[in-house]
PDB file of all heavy atoms in Angstrom:
ATOM      1  N   VAL B 197      19.532   0.150  13.463  1.00 98.00           N
ATOM      2  CA  VAL B 197      18.493  -0.783  13.903  1.00 98.00           C
ATOM      3  C   VAL B 197      18.925  -2.199  13.522  1.00 98.00           C
ATOM      4  O   VAL B 197      19.483  -2.428  12.446  1.00 98.00           O
ATOM      5  CB  VAL B 197      17.102  -0.407  13.323  1.00 98.00           C
ATOM      6  CG1 VAL B 197      17.172  -0.203  11.824  1.00 98.00           C
ATOM      7  CG2 VAL B 197      16.055  -1.441  13.663  1.00 98.00           C
ATOM      8  N   LEU B 198      18.677  -3.116  14.440  1.00 98.00           N
ATOM      9  CA  LEU B 198      19.134  -4.493  14.292  1.00 98.00           C
ATOM     10  C   LEU B 198      17.960  -5.458  14.397  1.00 98.00           C
ATOM     11  O   LEU B 198      17.160  -5.362  15.326  1.00 98.00           O
ATOM     12  CB  LEU B 198      20.131  -4.813  15.417  1.00 98.00           C
ATOM     13  CG  LEU B 198      20.537  -6.285  15.603  1.00 98.00           C
ATOM     14  CD1 LEU B 198      21.415  -6.771  14.448  1.00 98.00           C
ATOM     15  CD2 LEU B 198      21.267  -6.473  16.943  1.00 98.00           C
ATOM     16  N   SER B 199      17.887  -6.377  13.458  1.00 98.00           N
ATOM     17  CA  SER B 199      17.021  -7.544  13.633  1.00 98.00           C
ATOM     18  C   SER B 199      17.855  -8.589  14.363  1.00 98.00           C
ATOM     19  O   SER B 199      18.731  -9.218  13.767  1.00 98.00           O
ATOM     20  CB  SER B 199      16.577  -8.101  12.276  1.00 98.00           C
ATOM     21  OG  SER B 199      15.858  -7.145  11.545  1.00 98.00           O
ATOM     22  N   PHE B 200      17.589  -8.726  15.649  1.00 98.00           N
ATOM     23  CA  PHE B 200      18.373  -9.616  16.502  1.00 98.00           C
ATOM     24  C   PHE B 200      17.721 -10.993  16.460  1.00 98.00           C
ATOM     25  O   PHE B 200      16.705 -11.241  17.101  1.00 98.00           O
ATOM     26  CB  PHE B 200      18.388  -9.034  17.925  1.00 98.00           C
ATOM     27  CG  PHE B 200      19.130  -9.854  18.934  1.00 98.00           C
ATOM     28  CD1 PHE B 200      20.508  -9.751  19.052  1.00 98.00           C
ATOM     29  CD2 PHE B 200      18.458 -10.714  19.789  1.00 98.00           C
ATOM     30  CE1 PHE B 200      21.200 -10.494  20.006  1.00 98.00           C
ATOM     31  CE2 PHE B 200      19.137 -11.470  20.746  1.00 98.00           C
ATOM     32  CZ  PHE B 200      20.515 -11.355  20.856  1.00 98.00           C
ATOM     33  N   GLY B 201      18.311 -11.865  15.669  1.00 98.00           N
ATOM     34  CA  GLY B 201      17.709 -13.170  15.442  1.00 98.00           C
ATOM     35  C   GLY B 201      17.921 -14.135  16.591  1.00 98.00           C
ATOM     36  O   GLY B 201      18.994 -14.144  17.198  1.00 98.00           O
ATOM     37  N   ALA B 202      16.918 -14.940  16.872  1.00 98.00           N
ATOM     38  CA  ALA B 202      17.051 -15.965  17.899  1.00 98.00           C
ATOM     39  C   ALA B 202      16.438 -17.295  17.460  1.00 98.00           C
ATOM     40  O   ALA B 202      16.833 -18.353  17.945  1.00 98.00           O
ATOM     41  CB  ALA B 202      16.406 -15.494  19.198  1.00 98.00           C
ATOM     42  N   THR B 203      15.516 -17.234  16.510  1.00 98.00           N
ATOM     43  CA  THR B 203      14.823 -18.451  16.082  1.00 98.00           C
ATOM     44  C   THR B 203      15.798 -19.505  15.566  1.00 98.00           C
ATOM     45  O   THR B 203      15.752 -20.668  15.974  1.00 98.00           O
ATOM     46  CB  THR B 203      13.797 -18.112  14.975  1.00 98.00           C
ATOM     47  OG1 THR B 203      12.935 -17.087  15.451  1.00 98.00           O
ATOM     48  CG2 THR B 203      12.999 -19.344  14.583  1.00 98.00           C
ATOM     49  N   LYS B 204      16.673 -19.096  14.665  1.00 97.00           N
ATOM     50  CA  LYS B 204      17.562 -20.078  14.035  1.00 97.00           C
ATOM     51  C   LYS B 204      18.552 -20.681  15.036  1.00 97.00           C
ATOM     52  O   LYS B 204      19.135 -21.722  14.782  1.00 97.00           O
ATOM     53  CB  LYS B 204      18.354 -19.410  12.903  1.00 97.00           C
ATOM     54  CG  LYS B 204      17.523 -19.048  11.683  1.00 97.00           C
ATOM     55  CD  LYS B 204      18.438 -18.457  10.593  1.00 97.00           C
ATOM     56  CE  LYS B 204      17.650 -17.690   9.554  1.00 97.00           C
ATOM     57  NZ  LYS B 204      16.725 -18.509   8.766  1.00 97.00           N
ATOM     58  N   ASN B 205      18.736 -19.986  16.142  1.00 97.00           N
ATOM     59  CA  ASN B 205      19.764 -20.397  17.102  1.00 97.00           C
ATOM     60  C   ASN B 205      19.169 -20.978  18.378  1.00 97.00           C
ATOM     61  O   ASN B 205      19.744 -20.849  19.452  1.00 97.00           O
ATOM     62  CB  ASN B 205      20.659 -19.178  17.397  1.00 97.00           C
ATOM     63  CG  ASN B 205      21.928 -19.523  18.157  1.00 97.00           C
ATOM     64  OD1 ASN B 205      22.500 -20.609  17.973  1.00 97.00           O
ATOM     65  ND2 ASN B 205      22.358 -18.625  19.026  1.00 97.00           N
ATOM     66  N   GLY B 206      17.988 -21.588  18.270  1.00 96.00           N
ATOM     67  CA  GLY B 206      17.502 -22.327  19.428  1.00 96.00           C
ATOM     68  C   GLY B 206      16.147 -21.921  19.978  1.00 96.00           C
ATOM     69  O   GLY B 206      15.582 -22.628  20.810  1.00 96.00           O
ATOM     70  N   CYS B 207      15.602 -20.807  19.524  1.00 98.00           N
ATOM     71  CA  CYS B 207      14.246 -20.457  19.966  1.00 98.00           C
ATOM     72  C   CYS B 207      13.220 -21.160  19.078  1.00 98.00           C
ATOM     73  O   CYS B 207      13.546 -21.715  18.033  1.00 98.00           O
ATOM     74  CB  CYS B 207      14.035 -18.950  19.899  1.00 98.00           C
ATOM     75  SG  CYS B 207      14.866 -18.072  21.249  1.00 98.00           S
ATOM     76  N   LEU B 208      11.960 -21.098  19.526  1.00 98.00           N
ATOM     77  CA  LEU B 208      10.876 -21.651  18.703  1.00 98.00           C
ATOM     78  C   LEU B 208      10.533 -20.663  17.595  1.00 98.00           C
ATOM     79  O   LEU B 208      10.419 -21.022  16.418  1.00 98.00           O
ATOM     80  CB  LEU B 208       9.627 -21.894  19.544  1.00 98.00           C
ATOM     81  CG  LEU B 208       9.699 -22.912  20.679  1.00 98.00           C
ATOM     82  CD1 LEU B 208      10.362 -22.354  21.909  1.00 98.00           C
ATOM     83  CD2 LEU B 208       8.318 -23.442  21.012  1.00 98.00           C
ATOM     84  N   ALA B 209      10.345 -19.411  17.989  1.00 98.00           N
ATOM     85  CA  ALA B 209       9.986 -18.344  17.063  1.00 98.00           C
ATOM     86  C   ALA B 209      10.097 -17.058  17.862  1.00 98.00           C
ATOM     87  O   ALA B 209       9.161 -16.683  18.561  1.00 98.00           O
ATOM     88  CB  ALA B 209       8.572 -18.511  16.523  1.00 98.00           C
ATOM     89  N   ALA B 210      11.260 -16.413  17.787  1.00 98.00           N
ATOM     90  CA  ALA B 210      11.453 -15.185  18.558  1.00 98.00           C
ATOM     91  C   ALA B 210      12.614 -14.404  17.978  1.00 98.00           C
ATOM     92  O   ALA B 210      13.685 -14.958  17.728  1.00 98.00           O
ATOM     93  CB  ALA B 210      11.727 -15.490  20.026  1.00 98.00           C
ATOM     94  N   GLU B 211      12.352 -13.147  17.750  1.00 98.00           N
ATOM     95  CA  GLU B 211      13.377 -12.213  17.289  1.00 98.00           C
ATOM     96  C   GLU B 211      13.149 -10.921  18.072  1.00 98.00           C
ATOM     97  O   GLU B 211      12.044 -10.653  18.531  1.00 98.00           O
ATOM     98  CB  GLU B 211      13.220 -11.907  15.794  1.00 98.00           C
ATOM     99  CG  GLU B 211      12.963 -13.125  14.916  1.00 98.00           C
ATOM    100  CD  GLU B 211      14.221 -13.806  14.410  1.00 98.00           C
ATOM    101  OE1 GLU B 211      15.138 -13.094  13.945  1.00 98.00           O
ATOM    102  OE2 GLU B 211      14.304 -15.050  14.501  1.00 98.00           O
ATOM    103  N   ALA B 212      14.187 -10.148  18.191  1.00 98.00           N
ATOM    104  CA  ALA B 212      14.022  -8.845  18.836  1.00 98.00           C
ATOM    105  C   ALA B 212      14.439  -7.770  17.848  1.00 98.00           C
ATOM    106  O   ALA B 212      15.539  -7.801  17.306  1.00 98.00           O
ATOM    107  CB  ALA B 212      14.882  -8.752  20.093  1.00 98.00           C
ATOM    108  N   LEU B 213      13.519  -6.851  17.626  1.00 98.00           N
ATOM    109  CA  LEU B 213      13.842  -5.707  16.784  1.00 98.00           C
ATOM    110  C   LEU B 213      14.403  -4.631  17.714  1.00 98.00           C
ATOM    111  O   LEU B 213      13.705  -4.168  18.618  1.00 98.00           O
ATOM    112  CB  LEU B 213      12.564  -5.238  16.083  1.00 98.00           C
ATOM    113  CG  LEU B 213      12.637  -4.064  15.148  1.00 98.00           C
ATOM    114  CD1 LEU B 213      13.692  -4.245  14.076  1.00 98.00           C
ATOM    115  CD2 LEU B 213      11.274  -3.859  14.484  1.00 98.00           C
ATOM    116  N   VAL B 214      15.669  -4.285  17.506  1.00 98.00           N
ATOM    117  CA  VAL B 214      16.382  -3.418  18.452  1.00 98.00           C
ATOM    118  C   VAL B 214      16.727  -2.083  17.781  1.00 98.00           C
ATOM    119  O   VAL B 214      17.449  -2.062  16.773  1.00 98.00           O
ATOM    120  CB  VAL B 214      17.683  -4.090  18.936  1.00 98.00           C
ATOM    121  CG1 VAL B 214      18.454  -3.165  19.874  1.00 98.00           C
ATOM    122  CG2 VAL B 214      17.371  -5.417  19.620  1.00 98.00           C
ATOM    123  N   PHE B 215      16.207  -1.007  18.331  1.00 98.00           N
ATOM    124  CA  PHE B 215      16.515   0.334  17.821  1.00 98.00           C
ATOM    125  C   PHE B 215      17.567   0.995  18.702  1.00 98.00           C
ATOM    126  O   PHE B 215      17.374   1.146  19.906  1.00 98.00           O
ATOM    127  CB  PHE B 215      15.253   1.198  17.810  1.00 98.00           C
ATOM    128  CG  PHE B 215      14.315   0.871  16.693  1.00 98.00           C
ATOM    129  CD1 PHE B 215      13.347  -0.105  16.848  1.00 98.00           C
ATOM    130  CD2 PHE B 215      14.427   1.513  15.464  1.00 98.00           C
ATOM    131  CE1 PHE B 215      12.487  -0.424  15.812  1.00 98.00           C
ATOM    132  CE2 PHE B 215      13.571   1.194  14.416  1.00 98.00           C
ATOM    133  CZ  PHE B 215      12.596   0.223  14.586  1.00 98.00           C
ATOM    134  N   PHE B 216      18.666   1.391  18.083  1.00 98.00           N
ATOM    135  CA  PHE B 216      19.714   2.094  18.821  1.00 98.00           C
ATOM    136  C   PHE B 216      19.478   3.596  18.847  1.00 98.00           C
ATOM    137  O   PHE B 216      20.085   4.312  19.618  1.00 98.00           O
ATOM    138  CB  PHE B 216      21.083   1.772  18.215  1.00 98.00           C
ATOM    139  CG  PHE B 216      21.411   0.316  18.283  1.00 98.00           C
ATOM    140  CD1 PHE B 216      21.402  -0.468  17.143  1.00 98.00           C
ATOM    141  CD2 PHE B 216      21.696  -0.283  19.505  1.00 98.00           C
ATOM    142  CE1 PHE B 216      21.678  -1.826  17.206  1.00 98.00           C
ATOM    143  CE2 PHE B 216      21.978  -1.639  19.583  1.00 98.00           C
ATOM    144  CZ  PHE B 216      21.965  -2.414  18.423  1.00 98.00           C
ATOM    145  N   LYS B 217      18.616   4.057  17.955  1.00 97.00           N
ATOM    146  CA  LYS B 217      18.183   5.456  17.980  1.00 97.00           C
ATOM    147  C   LYS B 217      16.699   5.458  18.312  1.00 97.00           C
ATOM    148  O   LYS B 217      15.859   5.233  17.429  1.00 97.00           O
ATOM    149  CB  LYS B 217      18.413   6.097  16.618  1.00 97.00           C
ATOM    150  CG  LYS B 217      19.876   6.306  16.285  1.00 97.00           C
ATOM    151  CD  LYS B 217      20.028   7.170  15.038  1.00 97.00           C
ATOM    152  CE  LYS B 217      21.491   7.414  14.717  1.00 97.00           C
ATOM    153  NZ  LYS B 217      21.700   7.627  13.272  1.00 97.00           N
ATOM    154  N   PRO B 218      16.360   5.721  19.560  1.00 95.00           N
ATOM    155  CA  PRO B 218      14.956   5.614  19.961  1.00 95.00           C
ATOM    156  C   PRO B 218      14.009   6.433  19.071  1.00 95.00           C
ATOM    157  O   PRO B 218      12.867   6.022  18.843  1.00 95.00           O
ATOM    158  CB  PRO B 218      14.977   6.132  21.400  1.00 95.00           C
ATOM    159  CG  PRO B 218      16.361   5.807  21.891  1.00 95.00           C
ATOM    160  CD  PRO B 218      17.255   6.005  20.695  1.00 95.00           C
ATOM    161  N   GLY B 219      14.476   7.538  18.526  1.00 97.00           N
ATOM    162  CA  GLY B 219      13.608   8.350  17.673  1.00 97.00           C
ATOM    163  C   GLY B 219      13.080   7.591  16.470  1.00 97.00           C
ATOM    164  O   GLY B 219      11.973   7.865  15.983  1.00 97.00           O
ATOM    165  N   LEU B 220      13.844   6.647  15.991  1.00 97.00           N
ATOM    166  CA  LEU B 220      13.414   5.869  14.823  1.00 97.00           C
ATOM    167  C   LEU B 220      12.278   4.911  15.149  1.00 97.00           C
ATOM    168  O   LEU B 220      11.585   4.424  14.256  1.00 97.00           O
ATOM    169  CB  LEU B 220      14.586   5.062  14.257  1.00 97.00           C
ATOM    170  CG  LEU B 220      15.692   5.847  13.582  1.00 97.00           C
ATOM    171  CD1 LEU B 220      16.847   4.929  13.233  1.00 97.00           C
ATOM    172  CD2 LEU B 220      15.166   6.551  12.332  1.00 97.00           C
ATOM    173  N   ALA B 221      12.088   4.632  16.434  1.00 97.00           N
ATOM    174  CA  ALA B 221      11.116   3.617  16.838  1.00 97.00           C
ATOM    175  C   ALA B 221       9.724   4.176  17.059  1.00 97.00           C
ATOM    176  O   ALA B 221       8.786   3.430  17.331  1.00 97.00           O
ATOM    177  CB  ALA B 221      11.602   2.946  18.122  1.00 97.00           C
ATOM    178  N   ARG B 222       9.578   5.452  16.900  1.00 96.00           N
ATOM    179  CA  ARG B 222       8.350   6.156  17.261  1.00 96.00           C
ATOM    180  C   ARG B 222       7.081   5.525  16.669  1.00 96.00           C
ATOM    181  O   ARG B 222       6.054   5.435  17.339  1.00 96.00           O
ATOM    182  CB  ARG B 222       8.472   7.603  16.760  1.00 96.00           C
ATOM    183  CG  ARG B 222       7.602   8.624  17.420  1.00 96.00           C
ATOM    184  CD  ARG B 222       7.986  10.015  16.914  1.00 96.00           C
ATOM    185  NE  ARG B 222       8.156  10.026  15.474  1.00 96.00           N
ATOM    186  CZ  ARG B 222       7.169  10.141  14.575  1.00 96.00           C
ATOM    187  NH1 ARG B 222       5.922  10.265  14.978  1.00 96.00           N
ATOM    188  NH2 ARG B 222       7.417  10.142  13.283  1.00 96.00           N
ATOM    189  N   GLU B 223       7.141   5.086  15.439  1.00 97.00           N
ATOM    190  CA  GLU B 223       5.946   4.576  14.748  1.00 97.00           C
ATOM    191  C   GLU B 223       5.792   3.061  14.862  1.00 97.00           C
ATOM    192  O   GLU B 223       4.776   2.514  14.428  1.00 97.00           O
ATOM    193  CB  GLU B 223       6.039   4.893  13.254  1.00 97.00           C
ATOM    194  CG  GLU B 223       6.031   6.359  12.905  1.00 97.00           C
ATOM    195  CD  GLU B 223       5.853   6.528  11.395  1.00 97.00           C
ATOM    196  OE1 GLU B 223       6.493   5.756  10.645  1.00 97.00           O
ATOM    197  OE2 GLU B 223       5.075   7.401  10.980  1.00 97.00           O
ATOM    198  N   ILE B 224       6.805   2.387  15.376  1.00 98.00           N
ATOM    199  CA  ILE B 224       6.855   0.930  15.220  1.00 98.00           C
ATOM    200  C   ILE B 224       5.781   0.215  16.022  1.00 98.00           C
ATOM    201  O   ILE B 224       5.257  -0.821  15.601  1.00 98.00           O
ATOM    202  CB  ILE B 224       8.268   0.405  15.548  1.00 98.00           C
ATOM    203  CG1 ILE B 224       9.253   0.959  14.526  1.00 98.00           C
ATOM    204  CG2 ILE B 224       8.300  -1.116  15.529  1.00 98.00           C
ATOM    205  CD1 ILE B 224       8.943   0.578  13.095  1.00 98.00           C
ATOM    206  N   GLY B 225       5.427   0.755  17.169  1.00 98.00           N
ATOM    207  CA  GLY B 225       4.347   0.133  17.932  1.00 98.00           C
ATOM    208  C   GLY B 225       3.073   0.027  17.106  1.00 98.00           C
ATOM    209  O   GLY B 225       2.400  -1.008  17.097  1.00 98.00           O
ATOM    210  N   PHE B 226       2.767   1.093  16.390  1.00 98.00           N
ATOM    211  CA  PHE B 226       1.567   1.085  15.560  1.00 98.00           C
ATOM    212  C   PHE B 226       1.748   0.165  14.356  1.00 98.00           C
ATOM    213  O   PHE B 226       0.858  -0.601  14.000  1.00 98.00           O
ATOM    214  CB  PHE B 226       1.235   2.501  15.089  1.00 98.00           C
ATOM    215  CG  PHE B 226       1.008   3.448  16.233  1.00 98.00           C
ATOM    216  CD1 PHE B 226       1.940   4.413  16.558  1.00 98.00           C
ATOM    217  CD2 PHE B 226      -0.134   3.344  17.017  1.00 98.00           C
ATOM    218  CE1 PHE B 226       1.745   5.276  17.631  1.00 98.00           C
ATOM    219  CE2 PHE B 226      -0.347   4.193  18.096  1.00 98.00           C
ATOM    220  CZ  PHE B 226       0.598   5.166  18.402  1.00 98.00           C
ATOM    221  N   ARG B 227       2.893   0.242  13.732  1.00 98.00           N
ATOM    222  CA  ARG B 227       3.118  -0.588  12.541  1.00 98.00           C
ATOM    223  C   ARG B 227       3.147  -2.081  12.890  1.00 98.00           C
ATOM    224  O   ARG B 227       2.698  -2.920  12.115  1.00 98.00           O
ATOM    225  CB  ARG B 227       4.435  -0.179  11.855  1.00 98.00           C
ATOM    226  CG  ARG B 227       4.361   1.189  11.170  1.00 98.00           C
ATOM    227  CD  ARG B 227       5.622   1.450  10.342  1.00 98.00           C
ATOM    228  NE  ARG B 227       5.622   2.760   9.726  1.00 98.00           N
ATOM    229  CZ  ARG B 227       5.148   3.032   8.507  1.00 98.00           C
ATOM    230  NH1 ARG B 227       4.609   2.066   7.785  1.00 98.00           N
ATOM    231  NH2 ARG B 227       5.207   4.262   8.026  1.00 98.00           N
ATOM    232  N   ARG B 228       3.709  -2.401  14.055  1.00 98.00           N
ATOM    233  CA  ARG B 228       3.730  -3.813  14.454  1.00 98.00           C
ATOM    234  C   ARG B 228       2.310  -4.330  14.676  1.00 98.00           C
ATOM    235  O   ARG B 228       1.950  -5.422  14.219  1.00 98.00           O
ATOM    236  CB  ARG B 228       4.563  -3.992  15.728  1.00 98.00           C
ATOM    237  CG  ARG B 228       4.580  -5.437  16.206  1.00 98.00           C
ATOM    238  CD  ARG B 228       5.446  -5.643  17.429  1.00 98.00           C
ATOM    239  NE  ARG B 228       5.037  -4.819  18.553  1.00 98.00           N
ATOM    240  CZ  ARG B 228       5.490  -4.960  19.792  1.00 98.00           C
ATOM    241  NH1 ARG B 228       6.394  -5.889  20.057  1.00 98.00           N
ATOM    242  NH2 ARG B 228       5.088  -4.164  20.752  1.00 98.00           N
ATOM    243  N   LYS B 229       1.503  -3.550  15.387  1.00 98.00           N
ATOM    244  CA  LYS B 229       0.125  -3.972  15.650  1.00 98.00           C
ATOM    245  C   LYS B 229      -0.640  -4.158  14.344  1.00 98.00           C
ATOM    246  O   LYS B 229      -1.323  -5.157  14.129  1.00 98.00           O
ATOM    247  CB  LYS B 229      -0.570  -2.918  16.521  1.00 98.00           C
ATOM    248  CG  LYS B 229      -2.074  -3.131  16.673  1.00 98.00           C
ATOM    249  CD  LYS B 229      -2.405  -4.383  17.465  1.00 98.00           C
ATOM    250  CE  LYS B 229      -3.871  -4.759  17.331  1.00 98.00           C
ATOM    251  NZ  LYS B 229      -4.222  -5.943  18.087  1.00 98.00           N
ATOM    252  N   ARG B 230      -0.507  -3.168  13.496  1.00 98.00           N
ATOM    253  CA  ARG B 230      -1.191  -3.130  12.213  1.00 98.00           C
ATOM    254  C   ARG B 230      -0.799  -4.294  11.297  1.00 98.00           C
ATOM    255  O   ARG B 230      -1.549  -4.674  10.407  1.00 98.00           O
ATOM    256  CB  ARG B 230      -0.785  -1.797  11.595  1.00 98.00           C
ATOM    257  CG  ARG B 230      -1.175  -1.517  10.217  1.00 98.00           C
ATOM    258  CD  ARG B 230      -0.636  -0.111   9.930  1.00 98.00           C
ATOM    259  NE  ARG B 230      -0.983   0.326   8.613  1.00 98.00           N
ATOM    260  CZ  ARG B 230      -2.193   0.676   8.229  1.00 98.00           C
ATOM    261  NH1 ARG B 230      -3.179   0.647   9.083  1.00 98.00           N
ATOM    262  NH2 ARG B 230      -2.426   1.072   7.000  1.00 98.00           N
ATOM    263  N   ALA B 231       0.386  -4.818  11.543  1.00 98.00           N
ATOM    264  CA  ALA B 231       0.863  -5.943  10.742  1.00 98.00           C
ATOM    265  C   ALA B 231       0.493  -7.279  11.380  1.00 98.00           C
ATOM    266  O   ALA B 231       0.823  -8.341  10.850  1.00 98.00           O
ATOM    267  CB  ALA B 231       2.377  -5.857  10.572  1.00 98.00           C
ATOM    268  N   GLY B 232      -0.190  -7.230  12.531  1.00 98.00           N
ATOM    269  CA  GLY B 232      -0.558  -8.475  13.199  1.00 98.00           C
ATOM    270  C   GLY B 232       0.597  -9.114  13.939  1.00 98.00           C
ATOM    271  O   GLY B 232       0.566 -10.318  14.207  1.00 98.00           O
TER     272      GLY B 232
END
Side-chain angles (χ1 to χ4, degrees):
Chain B
V197 51
L198 169 70
S199 300
F200 179 83
T203 306
K204 290 183 198 295
N205 192 33
C207 285
L208 297 79
E211 315 272 314
L213 180 54
V214 178
F215 284 88
F216 299 108
K217 290 190 179 152
L220 290 173
R222 202 173 45 83
E223 296 191 318
I224 295 300
F226 301 107
R227 289 188 183 269
R228 178 178 58 169
K229 170 67 193 181
R230 173 179 182 72

